[in-house]
């Protein structure tokens, strides 16, 4: 489970305590520590938001009285007092109290979170945690549910009630992965269904019920645990193992995954959870239920899968990768060689994407050409499909920083999707690491939280496979609770705290075929193998006693091959000429063949001890021995064996009494009778052996007939397969045509790309303004021709630092560009550059089509003429206001475009206007009736161009009997700009003017 920043101290303490308990054994699992008692207290976390008060009140009315504690996490106003505790106390039948720091959870209690705080739990004690500031959304329900899953494991229960948003969805996932149980309020009964619907759509909910039904189901679960913890109801261990073996067989037949390689505690805990959810009391009933329900078999398999993952789990580990491991990997790489990383058991892909993002961040700013190849594998096809889509809920904001979300994710309606650039670097595929061939030439393998779920023998096999996959200088990353255990010869420790190892050269590593065999990497007994090493003096003494006083014998397997000799077996076993063999029937004396074969079959088939006396001849004398056959089982591999001992009966030596001579005839008669009896006994045994042989022959004939029928069926299947291959060939041809079409489309895309590149080149060449494109590493990537001329840039300047522009611009360009990239803001400034001209400096972020930031765009616009003209106009206006304001007639100052730059007070009073309506407007106004039909504008433009003074240009005035006399002269100034002084004066109309009017 990932480290939550708000619980960082608690999480580290828990990990340190776990490592102390684990030592060097990777099998020590946090779940085993917290779940070893079947009667452990249930702790139920209840998450609610808007509309949750009514649902909470209904739920606490029906919760069970014993064996459960309840913790309510409600979205509360941070700066207002909460009355939730008092309101729930009115309807609850158990005690309700507000959480204080250090509260120990106890049954028959409801604990309510106080405002403006987050909540965590460690070893059954609730802790108040100040909420983390910043602009990230607060997710108190997810935060507490994750902490609850870490601390309580299969005794954790998560309940989502009415509310808006998605808070609680990721927390339910953590609880379910830890073996807990999850409830969601039925959306139809919720006042606000945002949180319930989000939890249901994630697939992490076990029950969807009304608050009342949730309370009733909780009571049933508590009662079920009490019944399971009753010693009278406990299942005997052999029976339990037999039933679990049946479940393993069902899962392997359906999904191909062997769960017997998983730790028994993990498997039993998941089975117990499924029995609780299905209200089944005994294991035998559950096995029958699974046999009759393919849906439940699928659900059981899904629960068994390892899906404990999230983004940047154990953040410090990724920091160590960036600072220590990635630099070492790149140091070993040739220029252009790919960086290859494998993430087995990747679940839904968060770990693989996290490593990819970390590697991209490490390589940013470095001129590297190494291609990145990341491989993520898992046994579950559904998880692989999820990883390929790369779509995750909004709650990943808890684990991914805002900067990473903006750079490497695309916001969607239902959450976030990993950007196309990152997804294209990761290849996901289905693979069983214990059975399928691994990848090779890997620089780093991240296998976190897989080994802790496997048996020790399977752990060693996985480590051998990972050792094979790495390059000689490769690195292995394990989970914080894992280690290399019994394989110190394969890896050496690099970082103890973060469990990073490097590959060792080891000459005795098994081949890939041996590793991937059903028992690859596991110890097993081989024919002719020696005895195990003697551990101490007691074992040495026991062995000596067996050699001196024990009967001779051999240990054989089910194939009748001798695995071990004990004592002197020469009188009974004698190698025959020909190829060497350890088969006991080929080594035994001929007179022992019949009895050996018959009694070995009986002992193995009925799994019982068999003793029989057999007569044989030694040095010409008839002797009798007792064959003692004892079935055995090798404890590690469960291989069946048989101990065959040759016991010689002890006959006391006594002096025979003297016999009279007349007894010789009787002695001969007695000897003949005894011999006849022996012959009859041998004939009877021979008949039994013959009858057994006949039955074996008939059975073999039946098997041959059956084999013949199977061969005929196989022949038909082969014919069908041949037809399928023909169909496949046609499909391949169709696929080839499709590939040809795709190739043509790619060629068209290349043409379009070339055309776009040409367009971009011409746009850059045609731009009259200097434009410089800067990379994320603060280095120049491209510039326009105008920038080349203005800044004296050359093609070799591509790759030079942007600080090269500091001398021309007169400021620190690196700081400004970095601010734009980090804040995604736009910088616009008017600056005076080294050539004493004014420019507008504009810096914008460089964004790709998938909104990834790859640098910045710097542009310079020449505004020197405008700035200087504005300054001149401002100065002239100030001069005119100072020296011409005393003139009583209306005066105007116009710029080069005949826009009013200044007017005196007489103008404003005479024409009843204000400066805001005057300054900047064109004079004369073409829409003003006073100036319509006049040629005043033409005269003013002529004066402005030629400098000829305009005198007494008269037009009709608004007042009767008056004429408006207009005069204009150009004002000389020391710049290229031109100004025009215009005077307006009403004069008396002359008689000639009156007649013409």
């Amino acid at each position: 489970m990932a480290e939550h920043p708000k619980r960082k101290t608690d999480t580290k303490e828990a990990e340190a305590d776990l490592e102390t308990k684990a030592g060097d054994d990777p099998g020590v699992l946090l779940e085993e520590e917290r779940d070893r008692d079947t009667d452990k207290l249930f702790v139920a976390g209840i998450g609610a938001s808007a509309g949750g008060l009514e649902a909470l009140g209904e739920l606490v009315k029906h919760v069970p009285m014993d064996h459960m504690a309840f913790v309510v996490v409600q979205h509360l106003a941070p700066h207002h007092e909460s009355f939730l505790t008092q309101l729930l106390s009115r309807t609850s039948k158990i005690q309700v109290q507000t959480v204080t720091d250090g509260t120990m959870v106890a049954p028959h209690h409801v604990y309510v979170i106080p405002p403006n705080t987050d909540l965590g739990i460690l070893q059954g004690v609730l802790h108040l945690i100040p909420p983390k500031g910043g602009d990230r959304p607060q997710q108190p329900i997810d935060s507490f549910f994750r902490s609850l899953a870490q601390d309580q494991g299969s005794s954790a229960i998560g309940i989502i009630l009415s509310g808006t948003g998605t808070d609680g969805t990721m927390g339910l996932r953590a609880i379910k992965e830890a073996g807990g149980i999850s409830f969601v309020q039925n959306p139809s009964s919720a006042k606000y269904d945002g949180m319930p619907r989000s939890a249901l759509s994630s697939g992490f909910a076990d029950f969807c019920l009304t608050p009342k039904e949730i309370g009733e189901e909780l009571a049933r679960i508590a009662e079920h645990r009490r019944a399971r913890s009753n010693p009278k109801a406990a299942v005997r261990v052999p029976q339990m193992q037999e039933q679990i073996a049946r479940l393993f067989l069902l899962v392997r037949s359906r999904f191909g995954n062997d769960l017997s390689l998983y730790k028994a505690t993990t498997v039993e805990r998941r089975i117990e959870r499924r029995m609780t959810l299905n209200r089944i009391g005994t294991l035998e009933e559950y096995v029958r239920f699974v046999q009759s329900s393919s849906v439940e078999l699928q659900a059981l398999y899904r629960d068994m899968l390892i899906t404990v993952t999230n983004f940047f789990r154990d953040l410090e580990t990724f920091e160590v990768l960036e600072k220590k491991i990635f630099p070492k990997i790149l140091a070993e790489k040739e220029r252009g060689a790919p960086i290859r990383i494998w993430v087995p058991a990747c679940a839904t892909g968060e770990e693989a994407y996290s490593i990819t993002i970390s590697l991209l961040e490490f390589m940013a700013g470095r001129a590297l050409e190494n291609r990145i190849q990341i491989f993520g594998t898992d046994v579950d096809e559904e998880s692989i499909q999820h990883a390929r889509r790369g779509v995750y809920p909004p709650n990943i904001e808890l684990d991914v920083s805002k900067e990473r979300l903006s750079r490497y994710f695309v916001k969607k309606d239902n959450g976030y999707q990993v950007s196309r650039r990152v997804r294209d670097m990761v290849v996901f595929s289905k693979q069983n690491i214990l059975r399928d061939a691994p990848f090779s030439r890997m620089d780093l393998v991240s296998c976190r939280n897989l080994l802790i779920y496997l048996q020790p023998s399977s752990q060693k096999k996985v480590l051998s496979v990972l050792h094979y996959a790495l390059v000689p200088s490769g690195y292995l990353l394990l989970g914080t609770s894992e280690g290399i255990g019994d394989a110190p010869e394969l890896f050496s420790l690099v970082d103890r705290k973060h469990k990073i190892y490097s590959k060792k050269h080891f000459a005795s590593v098994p081949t890939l075929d041996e590793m991937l065999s059903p028992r690859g990497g596991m110890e097993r007994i081989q024919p002719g193998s020696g005895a195990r090493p003697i551990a101490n003096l007691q074992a040495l003494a026991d062995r000596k006693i067996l050699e001196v006083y024990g009967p001779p014998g051999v240990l054989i397997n089910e194939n009748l091959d001798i695995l071990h000799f004990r004592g002197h077996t020469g009188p009974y076993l004698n190698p025959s000429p020909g190829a060497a063999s350890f088969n006991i029937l080929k080594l035994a004396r001929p007179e022992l063949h019949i009895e050996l074969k018959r009694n070995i079959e009986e002992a193995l088939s009925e799994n019982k001890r068999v003793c029989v006396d057999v007569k044989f001849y030694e040095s010409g004398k008839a002797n009798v021995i007792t064959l003692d056959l004892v079935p055995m089982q090798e404890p590690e591999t469960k291989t069946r064996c048989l101990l065959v001992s040759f016991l010689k009966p002890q006959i006391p030596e006594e002096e025979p009494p003297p016999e009279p001579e007349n007894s010789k005839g009787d002695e001969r008669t007695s000897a003949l009778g005894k011999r006849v009896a022996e012959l009859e006994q041998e004939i009877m045994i021979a008949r039994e052996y013959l009858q057994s042989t006949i039955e074996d022959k008939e059975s073999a004939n039946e098997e041959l007939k059956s084999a013949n029928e199977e061969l005929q069926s196989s022949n038909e299947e082969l014919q069908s397969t041949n037809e399928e291959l023909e169909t496949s060939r046609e499909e391949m041809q169709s696929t080839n045509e499709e590939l040809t079409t795709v190739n043509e489309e790619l060629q068209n895309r290349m043409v379009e790309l070339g055309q776009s590149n040409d367009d971009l080149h011409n746009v850059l060449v045609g731009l009259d303004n200097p434009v410089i494109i800067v990379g994320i590493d603060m280095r120049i990537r491209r510039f326009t021709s105008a920038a080349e001329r203005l800044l004296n840039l050359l093609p070799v300047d591509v790759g030079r630092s942007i600080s090269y522009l500091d001398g021309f611009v007169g400021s620190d360009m690196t700081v400004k560009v970095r601010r734009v990239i980090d804040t995604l803001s736009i910088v616009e400034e008017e600056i005076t550059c080294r050539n004493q001209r004014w420019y507008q400096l504009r810096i914008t972020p460089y964004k790709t089509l998938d909104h990834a930031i790859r640098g910045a765009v710097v542009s310079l616009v020449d505004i020197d003429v405008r700035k200087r003209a504005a300054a001149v106009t401002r100065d002239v206006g100030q001069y005119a206001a100072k020296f011409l304001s005393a003139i009583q007639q209306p005066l105007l100052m116009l710029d080069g475009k005949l826009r009013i730059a200044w007017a005196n007070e007489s103008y404003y009073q005479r024409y009843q206007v204000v400066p805001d309506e005057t300054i900047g407007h064109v004079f004369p106004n073409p829409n003003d009736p006073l100036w319509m039909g006049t040629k005043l504008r033409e005269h003013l433009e002529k004066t402005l161009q030629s400098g000829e003074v305009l005198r007494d240009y008269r037009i009709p005035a608004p007042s009767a009997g008056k004429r408006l006399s207009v005069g204009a002269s150009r004002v000389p100034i020391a710049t290229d700009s031109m100004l025009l002084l215009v005077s307006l004066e009403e004069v008396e109309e002359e008689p000639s003017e009156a007649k013409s009017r």
Side-chain angles (χ1 to χ4, degrees):
M1 198 56 63
E3 178 185 15
H4 194 290
K6 300 175 183 177
R7 303 193 303 272
K8 190 169 184 179
T9 303
D10 295 345
T11 304
K12 285 190 174 180
E13 291 175 357
E15 290 177 355
D17 180 64
L18 179 63
E19 289 189 11
T20 302
K21 295 176 181 179
D24 294 329
D25 184 6
V28 177
L29 181 60
L30 182 59
E31 294 181 41
E32 298 177 11
E33 293 293 327
R34 64 189 178 212
D35 294 336
R36 56 177 178 259
D37 297 327
T38 58
D39 57 350
K40 191 175 180 180
L41 172 71
F42 276 117
V43 180
I46 306 174
S49 182
L53 180 59
E54 179 181 348
L56 282 170
E58 183 68 19
L59 175 60
V60 296
K61 288 181 184 179
H62 302 89
V63 295
M65 302 289 288
D66 300 317
H67 293 279
M68 281 195 186
F70 301 87
V71 182
V72 177
V73 182
Q74 172 91 351
H75 289 176
L76 301 173
H79 304 297
H80 292 82
E81 183 181 358
S82 172
F83 297 97
L84 183 59
T85 301
Q86 294 86 332
L87 295 174
L88 292 180
S89 299
R90 298 174 184 175
T91 58
S92 175
K93 57 185 179 181
I94 61 178
Q95 183 176 347
V96 182
Q97 69 181 70
T98 303
V99 175
T100 58
D101 194 48
T103 300
M104 172 72 74
V105 294
H108 201 262
H109 282 73
V110 176
Y111 303 95
V112 180
I113 186 174
N116 196 28
T117 185
D118 282 344
L119 201 59
I121 183 171
L122 180 66
Q123 298 178 356
V125 178
L126 296 173
H127 297 276
L128 300 181
I129 305 171
K132 186 177 180 181
D135 51 3
R136 286 196 190 185
Q138 299 298 321
Q139 306 283 357
I141 302 175
D142 275 328
S143 175
F144 177 71
F145 279 11
R146 284 184 172 185
S147 178
L148 180 64
Q150 283 183 316
D151 191 64
Q152 297 296 312
S154 61
S155 293
I157 296 176
I159 304 172
I160 296 294
L161 300 180
S162 172
T164 59
T166 61
D167 193 11
T169 300
M170 299 301 290
L172 280 191
R173 173 179 182 172
I175 289 176
K176 186 169 183 180
E177 289 169 349
I181 301 174
S182 55
F183 291 85
V184 175
Q185 181 180 358
N186 193 318
S188 62
S189 67
K191 193 171 183 179
Y192 296 92
D193 60 0
M195 284 168 49
R197 289 194 182 277
S198 174
L200 289 174
S201 63
S202 69
F204 301 134
D206 294 316
F207 295 98
C208 178
L209 306 169
T210 64
K212 178 182 178 181
E213 293 169 340
I214 291 176
E216 294 171 349
E217 186 66 24
L218 289 174
R220 186 194 64 77
I221 290 174
E223 180 61 31
H224 180 271
R225 171 162 288 193
R226 286 197 296 271
R228 292 285 296 172
S229 62
N230 184 1
K232 295 181 180 179
V235 181
R236 295 198 309 273
V237 172
Q239 293 179 342
M240 183 177 181
Q241 291 179 347
E242 181 180 352
Q243 299 300 330
I244 291 177
R246 292 182 181 179
L247 290 176
F248 288 170
L249 183 60
L250 291 172
V251 171
R252 189 179 67 180
S253 300
R254 173 76 178 276
F255 304 103
N257 197 5
D258 188 2
L259 297 182
S260 65
L261 304 177
Y262 288 52
K263 284 191 175 178
T265 53
T266 302
V267 173
E268 292 167 7
R269 195 160 42 245
R270 305 291 180 173
I271 294 174
E272 171 70 19
R273 179 180 182 276
R274 296 306 308 172
M275 292 173 61
T276 300
L277 294 178
N278 289 283
R279 308 180 183 182
I280 295 177
T282 65
L283 190 57
E284 291 86 353
E285 293 177 6
Y286 181 69
V287 173
R288 288 195 293 270
F289 176 61
V290 172
Q291 289 175 327
S292 61
S293 173
S294 59
V295 176
E296 178 58 24
L297 180 60
Q298 173 79 20
L300 174 63
Y301 179 65
R302 295 289 305 169
D303 270 15
M304 292 290 183
L305 296 179
I306 304 165
T307 56
V308 182
T309 183
N310 49 274
F311 284 100
F312 297 99
R313 180 160 44 99
D314 303 325
L315 193 58
E316 290 184 2
T317 301
F318 289 91
E319 294 175 357
V320 172
L321 288 178
E322 289 190 37
K323 293 179 180 178
K324 295 183 179 180
I325 305 305
F326 291 159
K328 293 180 180 178
I329 291 176
L330 282 174
E332 297 287 337
K333 287 291 178 183
E334 297 180 359
R335 186 178 181 86
I339 300 174
R340 294 167 57 85
I341 299 176
W342 180 24
V343 185
C346 68
T348 48
E350 288 93 331
E351 176 86 359
Y353 286 131
S354 299
I355 291 179
T356 306
I357 292 172
S358 295
L359 186 55
L360 286 174
E361 291 176 342
F362 168 76
M363 298 180 68
R366 293 176 171 85
L368 301 174
E369 300 178 0
N370 302 83
R371 191 159 53 97
I372 299 176
Q373 296 177 340
I374 312 289
F375 302 91
T377 61
D378 198 89
V379 297
D380 181 37
E381 181 65 30
E382 185 175 337
S383 297
I384 290 297
Q385 293 297 335
H386 187 168
R388 287 170 179 162
R389 290 191 297 270
V391 178
Y392 301 95
N395 307 56
I396 65 171
E397 295 167 346
L398 288 171
D399 305 311
V400 185
S401 67
K402 183 180 178 181
E403 181 183 3
R404 283 171 171 161
L405 284 175
S406 63
R407 289 192 176 187
Y408 303 108
F409 293 82
V410 179
K411 182 69 173 177
K412 298 288 186 180
D413 294 337
N414 57 342
Y416 291 94
Q417 184 177 29
V418 180
S419 66
R420 168 66 67 179
R421 174 173 174 246
V422 177
R423 280 186 286 135
D424 288 345
M425 294 181 181
V426 188
V427 176
F428 292 100
S429 63
K430 182 180 179 181
Q431 185 207 43
N432 188 332
I433 193 173
L434 291 167
R435 185 186 62 196
D436 300 330
F439 294 94
S440 59
R441 296 179 292 107
M442 293 292 146
D443 300 295
L444 172 67
V445 174
S446 175
C447 183
R448 301 208 285 170
N449 285 9
L450 169 64
L451 298 180
I452 55 179
Y453 291 93
L454 301 177
Q455 299 279 5
S457 56
S458 300
Q459 292 177 6
K460 190 168 184 179
K461 178 177 180 178
V462 170
L463 289 172
S464 298
V465 171
L466 301 182
H467 183 274
Y468 173 87
L470 288 169
V471 296
S473 59
Y475 293 90
L476 172 66
L477 173 62
L478 298 180
T480 54
S481 301
E482 298 172 331
I484 56 175
D486 296 332
E489 71 279 1
L490 299 180
F491 299 95
S492 58
L493 186 64
V494 175
D495 190 309
R496 180 179 300 276
K497 180 180 179 181
H498 301 97
K499 299 301 177 68
I500 301 176
Y501 302 85
S502 62
K503 179 179 178 179
K504 281 185 180 179
H505 176 71
F506 185 56
S508 300
V509 174
T511 63
L512 183 59
D513 291 338
E514 293 173 343
M515 287 187 288
L516 297 180
S517 64
R519 289 289 175 184
M522 306 179 190
E523 293 182 358
R524 57 181 174 182
I525 299 176
Q526 297 291 344
S529 62
R532 298 181 182 275
I534 298 173
N536 48 42
L537 290 176
Q538 181 180 355
L540 180 61
D542 292 342
R543 182 175 180 182
K544 200 65 178 177
I545 291 173
L546 286 175
E547 290 177 356
V548 175
Y549 300 103
V554 292
L555 184 66
I556 64 174
N557 59 18
E558 292 182 291
N559 296 326
L560 307 188
D561 291 325
I562 296 175
L563 306 176
H564 189 68
F565 291 90
R566 301 194 67 86
H568 181 57
T569 58
Y572 319 106
L573 303 178
N574 186 21
S576 57
S581 173
F582 280 96
N583 189 285
I584 190 172
L585 295 182
K586 294 184 178 180
L587 295 178
R589 290 179 174 272
E591 54 267 37
L592 300 179
H593 281 187
I594 296 176
E595 290 297 333
L596 267 177
K597 183 177 181 181
R598 185 170 63 88
N599 290 283
I600 287 174
E601 291 176 353
E602 180 180 355
L604 290 176
S605 61
E606 300 182 11
N607 197 27
K608 69 176 184 179
R609 180 178 181 179
V610 176
C611 294
V612 62
D613 292 334
V614 180
K615 182 179 180 181
F616 79 104
Y617 292 90
E618 183 179 6
S619 301
K621 296 181 180 180
N623 289 311
V624 177
I625 63 167
T626 300
L627 294 177
D628 187 8
L629 296 89
V630 181
M632 301 175 61
Q633 190 176 55
E634 210 281 328
E636 293 185 5
T637 63
K638 308 300 181 184
T639 303
R640 295 180 64 195
C641 305
L642 192 65
L643 178 61
V644 181
S645 300
F646 303 98
L647 304 177
K648 185 178 290 187
Q650 298 293 330
I651 302 175
E653 296 183 2
E654 298 180 357
E655 288 292 335
E659 298 181 1
E661 294 182 1
N662 56 4
S663 63
K664 292 182 178 180
D666 297 334
E667 183 179 356
R668 291 193 188 94
T669 303
S670 176
L672 289 174
K674 189 175 181 180
R675 179 58 178 162
V676 169
E678 291 175 356
L679 292 174
E680 289 176 349
Q681 178 69 20
E682 291 178 2
I683 291 173
M684 182 182 68
I685 293 174
R687 287 175 178 173
E688 292 178 358
Y689 180 75
L690 180 60
Q691 181 63 31
S692 175
T693 304
I694 293 172
E695 292 175 356
D696 291 342
K697 183 180 179 182
E698 291 176 351
S699 177
N701 287 336
E702 292 294 331
E703 291 176 357
L704 287 174
K705 291 180 181 179
S706 176
N708 186 42
E709 294 173 356
E710 290 177 0
L711 286 174
Q712 292 177 351
S713 175
S714 299
N715 186 39
E716 295 174 357
E717 291 176 0
L718 286 174
Q719 292 178 353
S720 176
T721 302
N722 187 38
E723 295 173 358
E724 292 175 359
L725 288 174
E726 288 290 332
T727 304
S728 299
R729 185 176 63 83
E730 296 173 358
E731 293 176 353
M732 289 293 290
Q733 292 177 348
S734 176
T735 303
N736 188 37
E737 294 174 358
E738 293 176 1
L739 288 175
T740 302
T741 303
V742 170
N743 186 39
E744 293 176 356
E745 292 177 357
L746 288 176
Q747 290 178 351
N748 293 334
R749 294 292 297 273
M750 289 295 294
V751 172
E752 294 174 1
L753 183 61
Q755 183 177 355
S756 299
N757 194 32
D758 293 338
D759 294 342
L760 176 61
H761 174 73
N762 284 277
V763 167
L764 293 177
V765 171
L767 281 176
D768 192 39
N769 294 327
V771 177
I772 302 97
I773 299 177
V774 184
I776 199 74
D777 56 351
M778 301 290 108
R779 297 185 181 276
I780 298 173
R781 288 175 45 192
R782 184 172 289 188
F783 47 81
T784 62
S785 299
E788 183 177 357
R789 293 190 300 269
L790 179 65
L791 303 173
N792 294 323
L793 293 173
L794 299 174
V796 295
D797 290 327
V798 173
R800 174 173 286 186
S801 173
I802 190 64
S803 60
Y804 173 76
L805 303 183
D806 292 354
F808 181 83
V809 175
S811 61
D812 192 343
M813 289 295 295
T814 303
V815 174
K816 294 180 179 180
V817 173
R818 174 58 65 187
R819 184 168 73 249
V820 168
I821 293 175
D822 292 343
T823 63
L824 304 184
S825 60
I826 297 176
V827 171
E828 288 186 344
E829 297 178 0
E830 293 182 351
I831 59 175
T832 304
C833 294
R834 185 175 58 190
N835 59 359
Q836 301 303 313
R837 294 184 67 84
W838 282 91
Y839 292 88
Q840 183 182 42
L841 173 66
R842 178 181 173 87
I843 308 176
T844 59
Y846 182 102
K847 293 184 179 181
T848 62
L849 293 178
D850 59 355
H851 302 289
I853 305 302
R854 293 290 178 269
V857 179
V858 180
S859 61
L860 293 169
V861 179
D862 192 340
I863 59 172
D864 187 78
V865 174
R866 176 168 60 83
K867 288 289 291 186
R868 297 185 185 279
V872 169
T873 302
R874 182 178 65 252
D875 294 340
V876 172
Q878 293 174 355
Y879 174 84
K882 183 176 181 180
F883 296 103
L884 301 178
S885 59
I887 299 176
Q888 295 300 316
Q889 67 188 58
L891 295 178
L892 295 175
M893 192 76 73
L894 307 182
D895 63 12
K897 295 184 179 180
L898 299 184
R899 292 176 299 195
I900 300 174
W902 174 83
N904 66 354
E905 191 65 27
S906 298
Y907 179 88
Y908 294 130
Q909 293 176 0
R910 175 67 183 85
Y911 296 99
Q912 298 296 309
V913 291
V914 295
D916 291 339
E917 299 174 351
T918 304
I919 303 300
H921 289 263
V922 175
F923 180 86
N925 187 351
N927 298 321
D928 192 341
L930 179 64
W931 312 110
M932 288 184 178
T934 67
K935 297 183 179 181
L936 178 59
R937 182 176 181 86
E938 297 175 6
H939 289 291
L940 293 177
E941 289 176 348
K942 181 179 179 182
T943 300
L944 192 64
Q945 296 295 328
S946 64
E948 181 181 350
V949 178
L950 177 65
R951 301 179 185 275
D952 196 20
Y953 178 79
R954 296 192 176 193
I955 60 175
S959 304
K962 298 284 185 178
R963 282 278 178 171
L964 186 62
S965 175
V966 181
S969 65
R970 192 168 70 181
V971 179
I973 56 176
T975 65
D976 296 336
S977 301
M978 293 180 290
L979 294 176
L980 201 64
L981 180 63
V982 179
S983 65
L984 304 173
E985 182 181 6
E986 287 190 0
V987 296
E988 293 293 333
E989 187 179 58
E990 295 180 358
S992 60
E993 293 174 340
K995 291 179 181 181
S996 64
R997 180 167 56 84

